[in-house]
Every structure is written in C-alpha cells, then in structure tokens.
Amino acid sequence: MSGCHDPPAGGGGVAQHPKGVHSVDTKPSAGESNTSPTTSVDREAGLIVLVGNPNVGKSAIFMHLSGTYAEVSNFPGTTVEALSGRWKGRALLDGPGLYGLGEHSAEERITTEAIKRASVVVNVVDAAHLDRDLFLTLQLAESGVPMVVALNLIDEARRAGAEPDPEELSRQLGVPVVPTVAVTGEGLDELATTIERARPGTWSLNGDDDLARRRAADELYTQLVPQTRRQRRICDWVGRASVTLHWGIPMLALSLAGIYLLVGVVVAQHLINFTEVRLGHEFWEPLARSIIEGIGIGGPIQEILAGEFGLLTMTVTYIVFLLAPLVAAFYFCLALLEDSGFLPRIATLVDRVLTAVGLNGRALIPIILGFGCVTMGTITTRLLATKRERTIATALLNFAIPCSAQLAVIAALLAGLGGGWVFAYAAIILVMLIAVGTVLDRMLPGESTPLLIELPPLRWPRPAGVLRKTLTKGYWFMREATPWFAAGALVVATLQVTGGLELWQRALRPLTVSWLQLPAEAARTIVMGLVRRDFGAAGLYEMGLTPPQALVALVVITLFVPCVASLMVMAKEHGARVALRIWVGTWFVAFTVGGVLARILSWLGVVS
Amino acid sequence: MGIDSVPVGSWARIEAIEDAAARRELTRLGFEEGADVEVISRIPFGPIVLQRRHRQVAIGRELARRVQVTTQ
C-alpha cells in the first residue's frame, strides 16, 4: 500500500493556491513542470535542496540519493557548509540544519540563498519532534517554493505512540508528504518518485510574525498527533539523569574512563606493541631495506628511502602500524559519543567551566572534535555565536589540544612511564588550556554569550553507522596527514644526509640541552614538529628519554605549533594575522612552559 | 521571577524572554512566550534544563535569569 499522501486534487480544506494543485502526478519527468508560474522565474533548472532542523536525518537522505558520504550525527551543527551531490543528473544540495529561515546566521543565509535558487525543496522533518520542526515547515509552505515533506524517523514516533497523520499534514499544507526512515532506507524510493510531484504549499499566515507562526505550528501539531500520554522509555530516563549533577558527572567520568581504557590501554599498549614492533620494526622495515639493497640503490637515496627517517621504513611504520590503529580507535569513541546524543548533554554539564574562559558549553563540540583532528575542530568553531568565542576556541584548539595522531604517540610514550606521569601530563595541559582561555577572555573585548542548546533524545548508536563513520573519518584523516608526514620525513632525512641536521642540533643546543635539559637530538623533534606535532612526538620515541625528560618533551611538543593544515584553516577563517600570532605564540608558550617545568622537576628532585 | 529560581520538577509559564536572539531561537524551538514548561534539572551555578512535551533545551544560568515566568 502507498505510504505517500498527496493532497486531494482540487485542494480541500485550507487550499488557497489553486495553481499549485492541478493534476500533478501525470508528468513524472522534467523538474520544472510542476512549479507554479509565479515561482519559476529565477529557479535553477532541476536544483533540489534538502532543508530541515539539525539532526533530523537530512544527511542520511542526501547519502541515499546522491551516493556521497555525508556525516550523520546526533548533534546539531555537523553540516557546516552545504554539501552538493547529484541525483538523476540534477544538482542536490544538503544544507546546514536550522530551526527557521532568516538572515541571522551564516547557516540561515546559505540556506535562504539556496532555497531562492531551488526548483524543489525537500523538507526533512523529525516525525518524533514534529512540533519543533513545523515552524520551519510552515515558513517553507508560506514561501511558495515547490516542496515535498519527508516525514522522517517515523519509526521513532510510532514507538513513542505519537505518530503524526501524514494525510492530514499533506492536506493542511497542500504538498506531498512521505513517511521515511532514512537510516534503514524505508520510504526513500517513494520519496524519490515524489520529488517529481513537488508543489508550492498552500499554507498562509497573517503577517510574518514568529510568535504567530509558532502558535499556528503548535495548533497544527495537536491536530496531527494523537494527544495520548507518551510512554516513558529507558532512554528518556537516562537522558534526564544525564543532565543532573549526581548522575551526569559519574556517567561522564565512566565514558572518559572507557575511552582511556580502549584507546590508551587496549590499543596504545597491547595492539600497538604488536603492530609497531612485530609488524613494523621486525617485519616490514628489514623487508623494505633488503628490497632497496636488492635493487642496488645506495648512497644518499638509500638513506632517504630506507634510513633512520626513511620514507619506506620509518614513515610507513608510523603511519600504518602506529597511527592508523590509534586514530581509528579514537574516531570509534567519538562516533559513539556523537551518535548517542550524549555530546550536547556533556556540553550542558561543562557549561559552567567553559564560561570561565569566555566560552559556553556549546564550545565543547569543536574542542572534542579537535581531539580527533584540530583542523576539523577549527572549522567547526563556526557553530559558535560570536567572533570572540570563535577566536578563543580556535586559540585553545591550536595551542593545547592534541589531535588523535598526537594523542596516539603521546599515549604510546606515556604508557611506558606509568600512571603518575600520565596524570602530570594531563594536569599540565589542562592548566595551560585554562591559562590561555583566561588570558584571551581578559584581553578580547566583549563577553561570553549564554548557552542555549537543544538536547536531542539519547539513542542507541547504530553499529553500521558507527563503523562507517569511524572508517570514513579515519581514512580522511590519514589521507590528509600522510603527505605532510612524508614531506616532514623527507626534509629531515635530507637534512641528515647533507649534514644540516647536525648544524641545527648544535645551533639549538642552548634551547634543548641547557634550557629544556633534553638530549641534543631533541632539536630534530622541533624540525619535525614544525610540519606536524604528532610527527614531532613520534621522533621522541627512540631517543631513550628519562621519564622527566619525556614529560618535558611531550609538554613542549603538545604546546608547539599547530600542523600546516590547521595553520591554513586558521588563516582562512580568522585572517593571516590571527593565524600568525597564534603560530608565533605557540613557540613562546611551548618553550617557556617546558623550561619552567624542567626546572621544577629538577628542583623537586625527580632524577633527570 | 526568572526561571532560574523555579525548583526542579515544577512547571512554569514563560511570560517574557528578555533577550532578542534567545527569544527568536526559543520561539523556533517551541519554548515561546506563553508556553508551559517543566524544569527538569538545575546544574549548580550552571544551566537550567527545560522540557516541553518530549523535548529538552538547556539554557545558561545568566539567560535563565532573563526568562521571566509565573508558577501556578
């Protein structure tokens, strides 16, 4: 039977736009055929735009139609820019999620602009939270753009005993409505054929008043959804508990402990031990060396390809056998946090802490993403409300947040030292975060904006979704990082062959040996760190450092310059001046803190 | 009074939201002036979590002071 509900031909009920409702289902092909004469003028032929509230499944529908991967998360703000793809030869845009149309933010402007050009708008709504979504739906239905409503997450609404009536919605709005479950693909084929029959809504509101529209939406909602008491489910209870102090904090602590156990212990210690030592050092590197020798390559080229910093030896070992497993483990944990809907709840719990550094709870999202990839985190700072908050969050990310690759190497190094050192490292980085944030909060004019965040319902993450996200993001990260890593290795290997490394090490002796109390070879780490911090940290691995030296070196390299990719994103988002200031600032902060720490450690009598 | 002083578990009617940007956002989200909401959590010195029907929003303490409500 049909799950699709068209408004009755001729228009019943509230229809006031007879031109949009004429015989529609007979012409399935050309995208322009159904648009009403008043709206077809500046429409781009065939352009389809997905519009909806954050976190309603737009991206899943986009992926289904276009075959392109887009992020699916259970928190608002993942799609920062409009993604474009193609469907049946037509352009398809996945806009950022938003609760209403206007000119109040970059997301709204992007979407409003795209809707003006669209020949069809697919309005994706969350059937389980239709009261909220109807506000935007009514705005679209008033605008006269040809549209289709995808009543998504209909399964969730059904389970909650609050399934909206699609036929009634279609009749009231005058547009086709298709119930869907995007993640399982239910109803999507039907949605695809219905796009051909999109038409302008017949809804009209007196004036353009937000409050009037909200009240109309609420009233429409009560007509669509049976007003019975919803069943409380376990997820609802956990959701409520997670934003209270006495349940939320232990839940947060438990999650962090779980992440540490998986990433820091199982993967960083046990799995890496096997992949890096057995597969990397003992199997792959001798094999690569013997192949290079077998081919008869010698001299400096041999050194560059298969020497200490060889492109085929060290680079491969670090990327394939050390970074890849750790980065994947980390993205797996992030995917769980994102898809479960726990992230905005954590943002609520830590709001108080972040207001101390001029941010609000919302800034937790870019910061957490920064632990995956600082570059990605820096891009996501766009979801913060003011330039001031974006600047502070960007600075925190680029000064003191180690990305997954760096964490990977750091975890592997610290794992050998024991709990006390792990704690000391974490405490120092935390203090630095607070210090950098506080200084900026004082320096920059203005004050922090208050938190206002919707808390999505908790959901069990879908295993297929989590796996897909882990692999896609992990792959994306490795693809991004590998060329830089290889370039860094090439530079260092070349410097070594030409004797430049020796000179550099000697030149930096006052800084490394006298000030930081590290071996002279640590200067290499600094060269490598200029390219990527994780690469720098990787260089520390075989230096035979004592525990206090390792701590100093790790703190320095964590606070040191952001990777080249992050630097470029910063310059793009905040201008070259801010980017350069942050970059130079990291030199100063990293070496000052490192030197002071070395002094404190020797003063405390920790043998170095 | 501000919704920051409503005890957890109580209901309140939003009378006025004294912040233009927040009023717009809350209206879109369905926490508009005139709506009855339940306070489901107050993080000490931190945000207040409100629920209407089955949906929740968290608002910072400062903002909560500017959300004027009446209780029954």
Side-chain angles (χ1 to χ4, degrees):
Chain A
M1 64 161 272
S2 169
C4 169
H5 306 275
D6 284 305
V14 294
Q16 291 134 351
H17 199 309
K19 278 177 188 139
V21 202
H22 57 54
S23 62
V24 281
D25 24 12
T26 46
K27 289 184 213 156
S29 58
E32 297 289 18
S33 62
N34 304 324
T35 55
S36 77
T38 49
T39 53
S40 58
V41 195
D42 7 58
R43 304 262 180 235
E44 192 175 302
L47 176 67
I48 302 168
V49 181
L50 298 177
V51 181
N53 285 193
N55 187 32
V56 294
K58 282 189 305 300
S59 294
I61 290 181
F62 176 80
M63 277 196 287
H64 182 90
L65 292 177
S66 69
T68 315
Y69 180 79
E71 274 221 27
V72 180
S73 306
N74 193 7
F75 72 86
T78 333
T79 310
V80 192
E81 283 180 330
L83 287 169
S84 63
R86 296 202 77 76
W87 174 70
K88 289 192 183 168
R90 302 169 68 163
L92 181 69
L93 272 187
D94 178 19
L98 71 186
Y99 298 111
L101 297 172
E103 303 282 330
H104 298 292
S105 67
E107 284 90 4
E108 287 179 27
R109 283 190 287 273
I110 291 171
T111 311
T112 309
E113 206 43 51
I115 291 171
K116 280 188 191 148
R117 292 191 290 121
S119 72
V120 174
V121 165
V122 178
N123 176 212
V124 185
V125 299
D126 176 350
H129 298 100
L130 194 60
D131 49 342
R132 174 199 65 195
D133 296 44
L134 276 177
F135 184 92
L136 176 62
T137 303
L138 291 189
Q139 258 187 326
L140 289 168
E142 290 159 25
S143 76
V145 64
M147 65 184 284
V148 176
V149 174
L151 196 54
N152 196 34
L153 294 160
I154 195 78
D155 55 336
E156 224 170 80
R158 213 173 279 152
R159 273 200 304 274
E163 189 182 353
D165 179 355
E167 272 169 71
E168 180 60 17
L169 180 59
S170 175
R171 201 182 63 80
Q172 294 265 10
L173 299 178
V175 304
V177 175
V178 187
T180 58
V181 183
V183 287
T184 64
E186 186 188 323
L188 292 186
D189 292 335
E190 187 141 21
L191 177 67
T193 57
T194 310
I195 288 175
E196 316 281 4
R197 288 182 282 135
R199 68 189 94 159
T202 55
W203 182 269
S204 76
L205 183 79
N206 292 328
D208 186 30
D209 177 33
D210 275 3
L211 196 56
R213 185 178 296 118
R214 166 43 63 201
R215 291 195 172 136
D218 284 354
E219 203 191 310
L220 179 56
Y221 176 77
T222 55
Q223 294 170 32
L224 295 170
V225 178
Q227 298 299 303
T228 51
R229 240 187 110 72
R230 286 189 179 217
Q231 293 165 17
R232 276 278 175 82
R233 288 178 306 134
I234 184 118
C235 278
D236 295 335
W237 185 86
V238 178
R240 275 179 169 235
S242 69
V243 283
T244 62
L245 212 56
H246 51 282
W247 288 105
I249 297 292
M251 278 158 122
L252 179 57
L254 218 61
S255 324
L256 291 179
I259 293 173
Y260 176 75
L261 213 64
L262 179 71
V263 181
V265 178
V266 175
V267 177
Q269 294 176 30
H270 302 296
L271 186 68
I272 292 298
N273 210 3
F274 172 75
T275 54
E276 206 216 350
V277 178
R278 295 267 175 279
L279 300 179
H281 295 331
E282 291 172 11
F283 171 73
W284 169 255
E285 288 180 25
L287 184 71
R289 262 184 231 112
S290 63
I291 290 172
I292 294 295
E293 275 167 31
I295 302 172
I297 297 173
I301 304 283
Q302 181 191 14
E303 191 64 29
I304 287 171
L305 288 178
E308 196 183 347
F309 303 102
L311 281 176
L312 295 178
T313 47
M314 183 202 74
T315 310
V316 171
T317 301
Y318 279 131
I319 290 176
V320 179
F321 300 119
L322 179 73
L323 288 190
L326 279 155
V327 168
F330 199 82
Y331 275 118
F332 173 76
C333 297
L334 264 183
L336 286 181
L337 280 183
E338 290 178 6
D339 289 7
S340 60
F342 197 33
L343 221 42
R345 289 164 196 280
I346 303 176
T348 306
L349 288 175
V350 302
D351 177 64
R352 178 67 196 87
V353 181
L354 286 167
T355 52
V357 294
L359 296 169
N360 69 45
R362 198 174 268 269
L364 181 82
I365 292 164
I367 289 173
I368 293 241
L369 293 184
F371 281 106
C373 170
V374 169
T375 312
M376 206 55 228
T378 306
I379 295 173
T380 321
T381 56
R382 283 184 202 165
L383 66 86
L384 303 180
T386 62
K387 187 169 162 36
R388 183 178 193 269
E389 285 161 70
R390 288 192 289 271
T391 309
I392 296 177
T394 302
L396 292 184
L397 280 165
N398 288 282
F399 266 101
I401 302 284
C403 72
S404 56
Q406 222 183 331
L407 272 176
V409 184
I410 290 166
L413 259 164
L414 283 175
L417 302 181
W421 296 102
V422 177
F423 183 77
Y425 170 81
I428 293 166
I429 298 304
L430 196 67
V431 167
M432 286 314 298
L433 272 174
I434 294 168
V436 170
T438 310
V439 168
L440 283 174
D441 185 34
R442 295 274 158 82
M443 264 171 43
L444 296 172
E447 52 188 49
S448 54
T449 56
L451 177 75
L452 200 180
I453 194 169
E454 196 191 15
L455 305 178
L458 288 180
R459 293 181 183 136
W460 283 109
R462 302 173 53 81
V466 169
L467 196 67
R468 182 174 189 167
K469 184 179 273 185
T470 305
L471 294 178
T472 316
K473 287 179 116 178
Y475 169 76
W476 180 86
F477 184 89
M478 296 311 293
R479 206 183 60 177
E480 175 76 26
T482 303
W484 291 110
F485 207 106
L490 191 64
V491 169
V492 177
T494 313
L495 280 176
Q496 195 193 27
V497 171
T498 56
L501 201 58
E502 202 54 42
L503 279 175
W504 168 260
Q505 280 185 23
R506 214 168 305 147
L508 250 66
R509 277 190 82 94
L511 198 57
T512 49
V513 179
S514 314
W515 174 241
L516 296 177
Q517 303 176 353
L518 295 174
E521 294 86 54
R524 289 177 190 173
T525 308
I526 295 165
V527 188
M528 300 191 218
L530 282 171
V531 182
R532 283 186 63 87
R533 289 189 286 195
D534 52 300
F535 188 37
L540 296 170
Y541 224 20
E542 268 120 52
M543 228 171 264
L545 299 172
T546 63
Q549 282 180 330
L551 181 65
V552 170
L554 284 177
V555 166
V556 171
I557 205 72
T558 304
L559 300 177
F560 197 47
V561 296
C563 74
V564 180
S566 291
L567 187 67
M568 289 188 304
V569 167
M570 266 199 289
K572 195 170 144 238
E573 301 276 315
H574 299 276
R577 246 185 45 200
V578 172
L580 200 67
R581 268 192 207 161
I582 290 180
W583 195 81
V584 172
T586 55
W587 278 84
F588 178 74
V589 171
F591 287 109
T592 309
V593 173
V596 171
L597 178 65
R599 298 273 155 331
I600 293 175
L601 287 172
S602 62
W603 181 69
L604 284 176
V606 184
V607 207
S608 89
Chain B
M1 67 175 165
I3 201 161
D4 61 306
S5 40
V6 176
V8 172
S10 309
W11 287 76
R13 170 163 296 170
I14 300 177
E15 298 294 346
I17 301 165
E18 296 160 353
D19 177 305
R23 188 189 313 121
R24 184 177 58 239
E25 193 75 359
L26 286 170
T27 302
R28 288 173 171 188
L29 286 168
F31 291 77
E32 76 276 12
E33 291 169 352
D36 291 320
V37 299
E38 185 189 355
V39 173
I40 64 166
S41 174
R42 289 153 48 108
I43 314 274
F45 309 105
I48 312 286
V49 184
L50 310 178
Q51 175 155 336
R52 185 181 185 204
R53 297 200 183 97
H54 42 279
R55 295 189 302 100
Q56 301 166 352
V57 291
I59 59 178
R61 184 58 66 111
E62 270 306 308
L63 179 57
R65 287 200 187 102
R66 283 176 283 151
V67 175
Q68 294 297 325
V69 297
T70 49
T71 49
Q72 285 79 24

